[in-house]
């Protein structure tokens, strides 16, 4: 166990962020903290989540505070099994079939809350629906079992920043603001879960993610695309345009890098630029997804150090995980609305 040096007053007490290893002692401590209403970041197959007891409104409120998220955007709940998830929401035949096909895995399903469900209303921002997910990660699964209750967890980053795919990324943004991070190594998928709304008659894709639209449609039939990012009829409050933002501006569809640019490459990279981060030399979207947030963070730091003016991004095909990658890249490149950017996750 390592104690971080950063300290901060929260609710009048000093917080030292513990780094816990994914061994029996570390996991027992993480579960104990969660049951005690504390904030524990933990790894999943997608990104690290900032976990809290979803049935404890004070603990959930502390998530918003730690992330610096000024508005109550609904959080998703994590469970060790579909059976546990479906105790809190009403699952119809469509939900049962996506659960069989994709859980455990990177899919969040929005369903009506069950009457009398113990999840705090704040977790779902007062909506009558709840996002539920069963992560495909042995450490997360065991932690969720040990915690013995629904765990709310948005990505473990400061509001408007890049999602973390390692314990070090979590500490970059939240050291001193949360009780612990459970280190389970880098995340294999690297982009967040796909968010699928099954609360109405037509399945709606609210966020592309680790499960591709093609495989959802193979299971469910046609799935409607959600409102475009930043669109008027935004159904998922967290999906505002300017998100996943590095500090440097982002230029998309770059075929080459200018002398003053840092390059995010996909496939063979052209010469030029101050520095290069290769997402996937061989052109694999799965490899690129796993490396995306790490690459944006690295270019942001290294580019700034070398005086780069912006990050140039080579095109990534839309197939498979490419759709999720391009969604995140478009958000990273979207104009920075100083108010809107603060209002998101
Ligand atoms: O992969 C992931 O999903 C990660 C890991 C930690 O599980 N979590 C994550 O959570 O990305 P978060 O809060 O960053 O994103 C959840 C998204 C948000 O855009 C939120 O607005 C939307 O799901 N959402 C949650 N509950 C909803 C609801 N009841 N109706 C519509 N959208 C909802
Ligand atoms: Mg997030």
């Amino acid at each position: 166990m390592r104690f971080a040096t950063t300290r901060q007053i929260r609710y009048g007490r000093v917080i030292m962020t513990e780094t816990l290893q994914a061994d029996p002692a570390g996991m027992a401590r993480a579960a104990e903290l969660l049951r005690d209403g504390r904030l524990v970041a933990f790894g999943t197959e997608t990104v690290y989540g900032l976990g809290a007891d979803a049935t404890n409104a004070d603990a959930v409120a502390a998530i918003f505070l730690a992330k610096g998220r000024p508005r109550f955007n609904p959080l998703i709940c994590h469970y060790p099994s579909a059976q546990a998830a479906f105790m809190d929401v009403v699952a119809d035949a469509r939900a049962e079939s996506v659960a069989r096909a994709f859980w455990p895995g990177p899919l969040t399903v929005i369903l009506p809350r069950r009457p009398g469900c113990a999840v705090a209303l704040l977790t779902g921002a007062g909506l009558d629906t709840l996002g539920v997910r069963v992560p495909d990660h042995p450490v997360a699964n065991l932690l969720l079992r040990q915690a013995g209750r629904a765990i709310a967890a948005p990505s473990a980053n400061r509001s408007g920043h890049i999602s973390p795919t390692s314990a070090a990324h979590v500490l970059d943004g939240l050291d001193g603001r949360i009780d612990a991070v459970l280190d389970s190594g880098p995340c294999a998928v690297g982009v967040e879960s796909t968010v699928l709304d099954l609360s109405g008659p037509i399945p709606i894709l609210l966020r592309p993610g680790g499960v591709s639209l093609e495989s959802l449609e193979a299971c469910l039939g046609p799935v409607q695309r959600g409102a475009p990012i930043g669109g008027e009829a935004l159904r998922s409050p967290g999906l505002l345009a300017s998100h996943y933002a590095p500090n440097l501006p982002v230029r998309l569809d770059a075929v080459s890098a200018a002398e003053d640019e840092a390059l995010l490459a996909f496939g063979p990279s052209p010469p030029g630029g101050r520095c290069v981060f290769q997402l996937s030399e061989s052109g694999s979207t799965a490899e690129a997804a796993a490396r995306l947030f790490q690459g944006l963070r690295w270019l942001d730091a290294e580019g700034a150090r070398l005086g780069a003016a912006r990050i140039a991004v080579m095109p990534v095909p839309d197939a498979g995980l490419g759709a999720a990658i391009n969604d995140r890249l478009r958000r990273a490149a979207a104009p920075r609305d100083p108010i809107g950017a603060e209002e998101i996750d």
Side-chain angles (χ1 to χ4, degrees):
M1 195 184 296
R2 179 183 74 79
F3 290 100
T5 49
T6 311
R7 290 159 180 238
Q8 200 179 44
I9 305 293
R10 187 189 69 161
Y11 299 144
R13 63 191 171 83
V14 174
I15 294 197
M16 290 184 296
T17 302
E18 301 173 28
T19 297
L20 303 170
Q21 299 310 313
D23 54 22
M27 306 229 19
R29 173 76 179 144
E32 179 194 12
L33 285 167
L34 284 173
R35 285 195 302 267
D36 197 28
R38 309 297 191 89
L39 302 184
V40 179
F42 63 98
T44 75
E45 81 280 33
T46 58
V47 299
Y48 274 70
L50 179 55
D53 178 352
T55 66
N56 176 340
D58 289 337
V60 173
I63 290 182
F64 291 99
L65 197 66
K67 284 182 64 96
R69 181 147 87 176
R71 192 171 72 161
F72 294 143
N73 172 26
L75 305 178
I76 61 177
C77 287
H78 297 67
Y79 302 86
S81 66
Q83 196 192 12
F86 291 163
M87 304 271 275
D88 285 340
V89 288
V90 182
D92 58 10
R94 301 169 307 172
E96 298 275 3
S97 71
V98 292
R100 261 194 310 278
F102 303 108
W103 280 352
L107 176 70
T108 295
V109 187
I110 310 293
L111 289 165
R113 281 173 72 103
R114 236 180 231 290
C117 152
V119 171
L121 278 171
L122 178 60
T123 306
L127 299 174
D128 53 11
T129 55
L130 203 59
V132 294
R133 143 163 156 80
V134 179
D136 185 14
H137 194 292
V139 174
N141 187 276
L142 189 56
L143 178 68
L144 293 167
R145 282 183 198 285
Q146 289 181 346
R149 63 204 67 191
I151 297 298
S155 48
N157 50 279
R158 294 286 283 273
S159 187
H161 288 232
I162 299 166
S163 290
T165 54
S166 71
H169 292 169
V170 172
L171 291 171
D172 277 351
L174 296 175
D175 192 4
R177 302 177 71 89
I178 63 175
D179 296 285
V181 57
L182 178 61
D183 187 351
S184 56
C187 302
V189 175
V191 288
E192 295 86 344
S193 61
T194 299
V195 180
L196 175 70
D197 186 353
L198 289 181
S199 66
I202 300 165
I204 302 173
L205 177 79
L206 293 180
R207 176 175 76 181
V211 169
S212 70
L213 179 63
E214 297 93 305
S215 48
L216 278 181
E217 291 196 318
C219 176
L220 280 181
V223 172
Q224 192 177 307
R225 278 67 168 167
I229 54 173
E232 287 283 312
L234 206 62
R235 291 189 53 125
S236 202
L239 304 184
L240 297 182
S242 173
H243 196 174
Y244 306 98
N247 293 315
L248 289 176
V250 174
R251 176 172 78 87
L252 298 180
D253 293 324
V255 286
S256 61
E259 188 271 320
D260 65 345
E261 289 180 326
L263 181 68
L264 187 65
F266 181 84
S269 67
R274 295 274 158 99
C275 53
V276 178
F277 186 94
Q278 179 57 258
L279 285 175
S280 173
E281 184 89 54
S282 67
S284 151
T285 54
E287 185 187 15
R291 292 169 57 75
L292 177 66
F293 293 141
Q294 182 197 349
L296 284 172
R297 281 170 186 268
W298 186 82
L299 286 176
D300 212 19
E302 192 63 7
R305 195 179 68 79
L306 298 172
R310 74 192 73 77
I311 298 172
V313 179
M314 290 175 68
V316 175
D318 240 353
L321 290 192
I325 295 171
N326 285 323
D327 171 79
R328 307 306 187 268
L329 288 171
R330 276 193 297 274
R331 292 171 203 275
R336 311 283 165 82
D337 168 355
I339 298 170
E342 290 309 313
E343 292 219 342
I344 45 150
D345 174 51

